[in-house]
Structures are given as structure tokens and as C-alpha cells.
Amino acid sequence: MKTVDLVVPCYNEEDGLAVFVEETTAVIETIDGYTFRFILVNDGSKDNTYLVMKELAEKYSNVAYISLSRNFGKESAMYAGLKYSGADYVVVMDADLQHPPKMLIDMCQAMDEGYDCCAARRTSRKGESKIRSFFSKTFYKISNKVSDVKMPYNAVDYRMMSRQMVDALVSLSEVQRFSKGLFSWVGFDTKWIPYKNVERKIGSTKWSFWGLFKYALDGFVSFTVSPLRILSGMGVLFSGVAFIYIIITLIQTLIFGIDVPGYVTTLCAVLFMGGIIELSIGVLGEYISRIFLETKKRPIFIVKDTNITVADNTPKIQETADEVPEDISIDSKKQSNNYFGQF
Ligand code: UDP
Ligand code: MG
């Protein structure tokens, strides 16, 4: 019997969570040879998601929950789930049923075939706004062109991974996480299975346009230093052009005497170069701000409450129990309120 942890980040999902657990349970009960456990991660929801989780944990014996101290973002919530998982395989999936639970059957099959990972890929983006699809497509196009880490367009955060791959992901402890890139970065054999986009039935998307833009920028800067190289290239190009222009002007002045330079030419050159310099500083700033955030080594998430104890997990986690602070193994009610995720 293989064990599987289903890591589900949840932010304001009080309306849909019970339906999600119900529908997923109906599917996993049909899969032979695997036992499943839900790890629901409450990402600082403003609604009653936490209470719903506790109720579900009482109702179903295979529902575990982790409640974070505030909203850390989906990436951190996923990381928390991965860190607490202990099963042979781990699945990450959304709580809104946009990731069809039926695909778990194919995913388990792929693992049986010997893959390290089985990931879902959307074949359509029906139901998503045109502008979001356009920007998303453009982001992947540019990113795949300039970065060594290739991220398949239309890949979603719905995948089943082997323990080995999860351990590799957990070992990447960067604070600004971009999982789509990290999944590719760690490597391992991945089987892709296509599915048609499912529209959200309950609740609404948590992403704003600005939020997605910042996320894309994070993804871009995390996986490539090409913008810095492009700036160096531009520096060389403009210096070259400037040098040639200086020589030409010098020769003209020597031969034809002092020329009165055009006001417009000077203004254009100053403004153009000013713009390029500001852009360069901006790009440098993007990288430096990330260095600044990473050097603080703040934890990726902070747990307020959980019903997962070390004893619940598989031997893999118990082996590393030495590194775990004592309070993780005590009863959830007595558990310290400021247990840090990054032990
Ligand atoms: N989510 C989260 N923290 C956040 C935002 C979202 O844990 O700050 C969860 C959310 O509850 C859902 C998943 O991430 O389970 C995907 O979110 P959403 O459906 O809003 O994204 P979309 O499907 O529109 O990309
Ligand atoms: Mg969704």
C-alpha cells in the first residue's frame, strides 16, 4: 500500500472546501493500492475556512490541516504542505475543483509506470479572461526564450510527485518562490496529462492583475539573469555608437571649424541616455531587492495551528525528527503559537 498526501492551499474557500473533500474522496476511494490523506493548508483566510477545516478533520479521519498565522500566498502555503507531508507521493492541487480529482487515477497510474512526477496541463483556457491569457502566454514565451529553465505553457500547479522530488523541492528554501519554475528546475521524469480548463463554480479567483504581474516578474527574475546581460550588451552598443559619433564630430570640428550643435540633438541624446540609465537601475534594483529579501532568511510560513504530529508522518520525516523543535510533537491545542515553518 502506497501513501499519498494531497496538499491543498486554501484561501477564503469556506463555501467550496467541503464539496472539494467530498468529490475527491469519491475518486480516491476507487483507487486501489494507495491510501490518501488530505493536508489542507489555511493560508490566513479571512472567512471561516479554518473552522470548516476543523469540522472536516473531525468528520474524516484522513483530513489533516495546517493553519498559517496570516496570508503568506499560495506558494508559501504549498511549501508548508510539502514540508509537513510525509507520504510516498505528494499531490498539490487547488481547492476550487478547477483541478479535476478524476485525474488522480491517471496520476497514480503514471507513478506505477515509474515516473517521478505526473503533471496536468490545460489544453484550453476557456473561461479565463482574454487579457489574462494573453499576458500569461507572453510571459511564458519570453521566459522560455531567455531562461535555461523551461516552463511548459499551460502547465498548472496540479501534479503528483515522488518523495524524492518533494524532498528536492523542500530543500530549495528560497523565500520568493515560483513553483512552476522550481518543478522544472529540480528535474525528474515528468509525464504530462492534458485536461480541459474547468471554470470555478464556487468562490472567485484570488488573483488580481497586479498580483499576477508581480508573480510573473518574480518568476522571471528568479530563473534568469538575461536582463542584466541585455543591459551589459546595450552598454557596449551605446558606448560604441557614442565613440564613433565622438570621432566623427572631432574630425568635422578639426576640418570645418567649430560647429554649433543642434539643440534638439543634444536634448534627445540626454533624454534617451537618461531613460536607458534609469531602466538599467530599475532592472538592477529588481535583482538587488530580491537579494535583500533572501538575505533576511525569514521563514517562508508560520504555523498557528495544525493537527499533524510527527507521529502521523511516515518514517522519512521521523528520521529527521532531531531537527524538529520539540513543540511539533505535542498535541495541536497545546502547540506553541509561533512554531516556524523553516526548521
Ligand atoms: N490560494 C492560497 N493563497 C492565496 C491565494 C490563493 O492558498 O493567497 C489558493 C486558493 O485557495 C486555491 C488556489 O490557491 O486553492 C488557486 O487559487 P485561485 O483559484 O484563486 O487561482 P486561479 O485558479 O485563478 O489561478
Ligand atoms: Mg482556481
Side-chain angles (χ1 to χ4, degrees):
M1 204 66 157
K2 304 248 175 61
T3 54
V4 184
D5 279 335
L6 303 171
V7 170
V8 189
C10 309
Y11 179 56
N12 296 348
E13 302 283 2
E14 64 173 0
D15 296 329
L17 201 54
V19 182
F20 165 79
V21 172
E22 222 169 87
E23 289 201 13
T24 311
T25 301
V27 174
I28 57 184
E29 275 172 354
T30 65
I31 304 175
D32 290 332
Y34 289 83
T35 50
F36 290 81
R37 167 175 73 161
F38 291 89
I39 299 185
L40 308 175
V41 187
N42 173 30
D43 186 17
S45 301
K46 307 266 184 298
D47 64 3
N48 288 324
T49 304
Y50 173 59
L51 296 177
V52 173
M53 275 180 190
K54 286 191 102 166
E55 275 169 26
L56 288 167
E58 270 170 33
K59 192 169 162 199
Y60 299 89
S61 61
N62 67 336
V63 170
Y65 64 86
I66 304 169
S67 188
L68 306 185
S69 61
R70 65 168 171 87
N71 178 244
F72 281 85
K74 184 186 172 185
E75 290 289 334
S76 303
M78 277 201 295
Y79 184 77
L82 293 181
K83 191 119 194 176
Y84 270 74
S85 73
D88 303 327
Y89 299 112
V90 181
V91 174
V92 283
M93 68 193 293
D94 286 358
D96 54 10
L97 286 172
Q98 280 190 297
H99 294 164
K102 275 211 173 96
M103 289 175 77
L104 288 170
I105 302 169
D106 299 331
M107 288 185 175
C108 289
Q109 217 160 33
M111 301 321 264
D112 286 339
E113 285 166 23
Y115 284 96
D116 303 298
C117 176
C118 181
R121 182 188 233 165
R122 275 186 293 191
T123 50
S124 80
R125 285 185 166 247
K126 211 176 125 255
E128 195 179 76
S129 81
K130 285 246 159 51
I131 188 143
R132 181 170 165 177
S133 298
F134 170 76
F135 278 106
S136 170
K137 213 173 208 166
T138 314
F139 163 73
Y140 283 106
K141 239 186 216 162
I142 299 176
S143 183
N144 284 337
K145 208 157 244 171
V146 298
S147 170
D148 295 335
V149 178
K150 304 290 176 228
M151 291 176 266
Y153 172 63
N154 271 342
V156 291
D157 291 335
Y158 180 24
R159 57 173 68 215
M160 187 165 188
M161 295 170 282
S162 66
R163 169 80 354 224
Q164 207 183 4
M165 182 165 174
V166 173
D167 286 343
L169 282 170
V170 169
S171 73
L172 306 176
S173 57
E174 56 207 77
V175 179
Q176 300 142 82
R177 306 184 73 76
F178 188 76
S179 286
K180 286 190 180 75
L182 296 177
F183 290 144
S184 312
W185 190 89
V186 293
F188 295 101
D189 289 336
T190 302
K191 179 175 182 176
W192 291 96
I193 47 177
Y195 79 102
K196 280 212 180 81
N197 195 33
V198 182
E199 286 184 45
R200 211 185 221 277
K201 287 192 201 83
I202 307 167
S204 58
T205 177
K206 308 298 175 320
W207 290 102
S208 62
F209 185 75
W210 180 236
L212 273 177
F213 177 76
K214 279 200 295 192
Y215 182 62
L217 196 65
D218 267 345
F220 198 68
V221 174
S222 301
F223 287 96
T224 178
V225 290
S226 301
L228 295 174
R229 297 230 172 89
I230 293 170
L231 287 183
S232 309
M234 266 163 60
V236 172
L237 182 74
F238 288 129
S239 308
V241 172
F243 183 73
I244 295 167
Y245 188 68
I246 288 168
I247 302 279
I248 293 171
T249 321
L250 266 181
I251 294 171
Q252 272 181 343
T253 313
L254 288 175
I255 298 174
F256 305 112
I258 292 175
D259 186 18
V260 180
Y263 171 74
V264 176
T265 326
T266 318
L267 195 68
C268 287
V270 169
L271 289 180
F272 181 67
M273 286 322 292
I276 297 285
I277 290 167
E278 268 177 34
L279 176 83
S280 312
I281 294 173
V283 174
L284 274 180
E286 286 297 329
Y287 283 91
I288 292 171
S289 66
R290 279 165 180 82
I291 299 171
F292 170 68
L293 291 173
E294 291 296 339
T295 51
K296 287 173 192 275
K297 294 241 170 288
R298 284 187 181 152
I300 298 171
F301 61 91
I302 298 171
V303 173
K304 193 172 163 195
D305 185 23
T306 175
N307 65 349
I308 301 179
T309 56
V310 172
D312 275 347
N313 277 337
T314 58
K316 183 79 200 170
I317 292 287
Q318 283 172 357
E319 272 169 28
T320 57
D322 296 347
E323 300 162 25
V324 180
E326 276 174 12
D327 54 351
I328 189 177
S329 58
I330 58 174
D331 182 58
S332 63
K333 290 209 182 76
K334 286 181 235 148
Q335 193 163 340
S336 149
N337 274 351
N338 60 357
Y339 162 63
F340 290 98
Q342 229 184 3
F343 34 85

